Amino acid sequence: MGSLQQILETLAEALTTTGWLAPLLAFIAGMVTSFLPCTLSTVALVIGYVGGGKADSRQGFRLSALFALGMTITMAILGVAAALLGNVLMLGGSWFFILLGVLMVLMALQLFGVFEFIPSTYMTSHTKRRGSLGALIAGILAGLFASPCSTPVLVVLLGIVATQGSVAWGTLLFLLYALGHSILIIAIGTSVGLARQIATSPRYGAISQLLQIGLGIIVLALGLYMFYLGF
């Protein structure tokens, strides 16, 4: 029991302190979640929709970059909001950590595929606009209505930022997550066939499943640590 406690404390400390590991993991988490099937297919659909089905790579790059910009704007706002909210909720004491623990365990179960708490969201249904403005709006909505496989990671990131209560730190972590998430998005938008090529790769399914399970284990570990802090 002592060794498990030590592992949880080490992991949580690495993610919640202002060291170099938390920003790096936020960036990597952004890249990993963009690689998962539910995000990959949705982004390709959105870019195709706002571009009117055209396959021009220059237009695809512009639209996907605007999509990424919109998502980054939302992420920056979420980072600030989480830090400010955390400053208030931390006054409640141990129940705040217990609440975060419950939320993180639920998100881990979502990643493991045990339960589906977060339904699939098609961002194109939230905006009828196309072109540059449509891509920007879709990106803003993508930050709010994330895919079922990326929302659990965002929830955990919100919880980590809330426990710190630092606006600058929260903004930095969310911007790095958005940056990591944007790399593949822009690549997919620029190359129409890239998403299809990745999705049809024989190894893609196995790799993406392992990544999702790995994220789930980290989320579950953080949830258990929150329970430890609460109790």
Side-chain angles (χ1 to χ4, degrees):
M1 190 69 172
S3 59
L4 175 60
Q5 177 181 326
Q6 186 176 5
I7 291 172
L8 292 176
E9 288 181 353
T10 302
L11 176 60
E13 184 180 356
L15 291 171
T16 56
T17 57
T18 55
W20 59 270
L21 187 57
L24 177 62
L25 289 179
F27 178 79
I28 293 174
M31 293 186 66
V32 170
T33 52
S34 70
F35 186 74
L36 297 179
C38 61
T39 304
L40 196 68
S41 57
T42 303
V43 169
L45 179 66
V46 171
I47 298 300
Y49 173 80
V50 298
K54 297 180 180 179
D56 180 76
S57 60
R58 182 178 298 179
Q59 183 194 36
F61 174 79
R62 175 171 55 83
L63 293 176
S64 56
L66 286 169
F67 180 90
L69 175 62
M71 187 180 63
T72 301
I73 292 172
T74 299
M75 292 298 167
I77 295 172
L78 286 176
V80 172
L84 294 176
L85 184 63
N87 284 327
V88 176
L89 294 179
M90 284 287 284
L91 299 176
S94 62
W95 71 266
F96 172 60
F97 294 104
I98 296 173
L99 178 62
L100 283 178
V102 171
L103 199 55
M104 289 182 184
V105 169
L106 291 177
M107 293 302 99
L109 292 176
Q110 170 83 23
L111 286 168
F112 291 145
V114 177
F115 295 106
E116 188 173 321
F117 302 100
I118 306 165
S120 298
T121 301
Y122 295 95
M123 293 169 288
T124 52
S125 63
H126 297 279
T127 178
K128 300 299 182 183
R129 291 188 175 274
R130 298 191 178 189
S132 299
L133 182 58
L136 183 63
I137 294 174
I140 292 173
L141 292 171
L144 293 172
F145 304 100
S147 64
C149 51
S150 60
T151 299
V153 178
L154 283 178
V155 170
V156 172
L157 197 57
L158 283 167
I160 291 173
V161 170
T163 58
Q164 293 297 295
S166 169
V167 172
W169 187 239
T171 304
L172 174 63
L173 290 184
F174 270 88
L175 286 178
L176 286 171
Y177 174 88
L179 179 60
H181 202 72
S182 298
I183 294 174
L184 187 57
I185 288 175
I186 295 176
I188 291 172
T190 304
S191 175
V192 179
L194 180 59
R196 189 181 302 111
Q197 183 179 351
I198 293 174
T200 55
S201 171
R203 296 182 180 180
Y204 173 69
I207 293 174
S208 61
Q209 188 174 13
L210 286 175
L211 289 174
Q212 190 161 328
I213 292 173
L215 285 175
I217 292 172
I218 294 174
V219 171
L220 180 60
L222 285 170
L224 293 176
Y225 181 69
M226 291 300 161
F227 284 133
Y228 167 74
L229 292 178
F231 291 109

